[in-house]
């Protein structure tokens, strides 16, 4: 969903008088509301989409259309990045909301965010800098994050480096030894405070970092996404794996180094202040660590 922000901005431009409603997982939808990307969000599971996927739908007066939520039935336009391989779904959705677009969520050989833009924009405005501007974190969340960082020991004058060593899938995690080698290199920089972020699936990844490094760092354990967005609005730099947290950092404008396996590079962020680097997720190769450290040092300097 964070990769869809440029496409969502284009949709809002195309119909400036209409509310832009996002159907997604609640915490992601709420985050994009807070960041001002959409006007409103709804829980994806409440739309009644199962009625559109049925092999033999009930076409009676209380059949499949009546089982779809009001948000779906009253929409003037629907973009669905699901269901493109199900002819019945496509047929019923376009019957319910004429002009609906049903497209796959990724396109072959194209960055995912660019593919999503292409699905909603026939004249391809991906080059327009406005659709790639950082999302603005509301002042209330930035202030709350500042207080949280102070509570963890930040003095408000040191620059902040946020490190996210985890990822949803183990195959996307760069080894802890690689992160350790990079952090050893940047530790010599003056007036730099390190924050280690630990999400719900990241305990093992954080625990694998050497204690001599984590003992000196602040640790954020599973902060709510709006608070994390606020924290990221304060950082001078970010380092992380191919993960949703890295996409959030990029989306709010944090200068970022994001690590990808070569086959995953199509998932690179859309933001301009991001350097995607290809590394080997399986091994902490010395040359990878040297490249990452050099890129991070250049960013922080």
């Amino acid at each position: 969903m964070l990769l869809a922000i440029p496409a969502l901005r284009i949709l809002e431009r195309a119909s400036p008088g209409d509310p832009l409603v996002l159907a997604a997982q609640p915490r992601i939808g709420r985050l994009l509301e807070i960041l001002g990307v959409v006007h409103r969000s709804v829980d994806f599971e409440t739309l009644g989409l199962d009625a559109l996927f049925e092999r033999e739908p009930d076409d009676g007066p209380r059949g499949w259309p009546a089982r779809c939520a009001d948000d779906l039935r009253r929409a003037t336009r629907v973009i669905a990045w699901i269901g493109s391989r199900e002819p019945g779904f496509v047929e019923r959705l376009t019957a319910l909301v004429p002009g609906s677009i049903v497209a796959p969520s990724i396109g072959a050989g194209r960055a995912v965010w660019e593919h999503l833009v292409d699905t909603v924009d026939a004249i391809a405005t991906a080059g327009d800098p406005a659709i790639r501007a950082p999302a603005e974190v509301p002042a209330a969340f930035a202030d709350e994050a500042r207080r949280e960082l102070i509570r963890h020991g930040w003095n408000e004058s040191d620059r902040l480096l946020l490190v996210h060593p985890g990822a949803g899938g183990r195959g996307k995690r760069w080894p802890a030894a690689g992160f350790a080698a990079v952090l050893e290199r940047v530790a010599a920089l003056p007036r730099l405070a390190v924050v280690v972020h630990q999400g719900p699936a990241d305990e093992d990844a954080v625990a694998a970092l050497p204690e001599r490094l984590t003992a000196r760092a602040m640790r954020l354990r599973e902060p709510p996404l709006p608070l994390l967005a606020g924290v990221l609005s304060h950082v001078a730099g970010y380092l992380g794996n191919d993960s949703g947290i890295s996409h959030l950092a990029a989306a709010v404008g944090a200068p970022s180094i994001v690590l990808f396996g070569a086959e995953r590079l199509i998932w690179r962020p859309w933001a301009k202040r991001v350097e995607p680097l290809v590394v080997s997720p399986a091994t902490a190769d010395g040359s990878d660590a040297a490249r990452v450290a050099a890129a991070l040092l250049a960013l922080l300097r």
Side-chain angles (χ1 to χ4, degrees):
M1 286 315 311
L2 291 166
L3 284 173
I5 287 177
L8 292 168
R9 286 172 167 166
I10 289 171
L11 285 172
E12 184 181 29
R13 282 188 192 179
S15 303
D18 293 336
L20 179 61
V21 181
L22 173 67
Q25 294 179 357
R27 69 191 192 112
I28 302 297
R30 176 60 181 149
L31 175 67
L32 293 190
E33 270 190 79
I34 289 169
L35 295 178
V37 177
V38 299
H39 299 114
R40 186 165 62 87
S41 64
V42 297
D43 185 346
F44 182 84
E45 298 295 337
T46 67
L47 290 183
L49 292 176
D50 55 325
L52 304 180
F53 280 101
E54 289 179 354
R55 297 295 180 184
E56 297 182 5
D58 178 3
D59 293 320
R62 298 186 60 80
W64 66 266
R67 290 165 47 206
C68 295
D70 285 350
D71 274 312
L72 197 57
R73 289 187 285 110
R74 295 177 182 174
T76 55
R77 188 180 185 192
V78 171
I79 312 294
W81 290 310
I82 63 163
S84 62
R85 296 182 180 180
E86 295 288 339
F89 173 83
V90 177
E91 179 183 351
R92 287 188 280 278
L93 180 59
T94 52
L96 188 69
V97 186
S100 293
I101 294 174
V102 184
S105 58
I106 61 173
R110 190 124 166 91
V112 172
W113 78 266
E114 292 178 321
H115 162 74
L116 297 175
V117 164
D118 289 345
T119 66
V120 302
D121 183 25
I123 59 173
T125 60
D128 183 345
I131 69 166
R132 299 176 67 186
E136 186 173 345
V137 178
F141 291 95
D143 289 344
E144 181 186 359
R146 178 179 53 79
R147 291 190 295 270
E148 183 71 6
L149 287 165
I150 291 170
R151 190 176 70 81
H152 279 77
W154 185 40
N155 61 14
E156 294 192 85
S157 60
D158 287 353
R159 295 175 302 155
L160 293 169
L161 168 65
L162 193 142
V163 179
H164 179 67
R170 288 186 176 275
K172 297 191 293 182
R173 292 182 188 174
W174 196 39
F179 280 98
V182 172
L183 290 175
E184 292 281 12
R185 292 279 300 276
V186 302
L189 291 178
R191 303 191 67 79
L192 182 70
V194 176
V195 182
V196 176
H197 173 263
Q198 178 178 313
D202 302 328
E203 185 175 356
D204 291 348
V206 172
L209 294 173
E211 187 177 355
R212 67 181 183 278
L213 295 174
T214 56
R216 302 198 302 263
M218 293 174 275
R219 187 181 300 188
L220 290 179
R221 291 180 173 87
E222 303 184 29
L225 289 179
L227 176 61
L228 181 58
V231 169
L232 289 164
S233 72
H234 291 287
V235 305
Y238 170 89
L239 173 65
N241 292 309
D242 170 17
S243 68
I245 302 304
S246 295
H247 286 289
L248 178 57
V252 299
S256 302
I257 307 292
V258 183
L259 310 177
F260 289 87
E263 75 288 351
R264 297 274 308 172
L265 201 53
I266 64 167
W267 295 92
R268 61 188 178 272
W270 48 265
K272 294 183 177 180
R273 301 180 72 187
V274 177
E275 185 171 354
L277 290 182
V278 174
V279 297
S280 172
T283 60
D285 183 88
S287 61
D288 282 350
R291 286 189 302 108
V292 174
L296 186 58
L297 285 166
L299 180 151
L300 292 170
R301 283 171 178 159

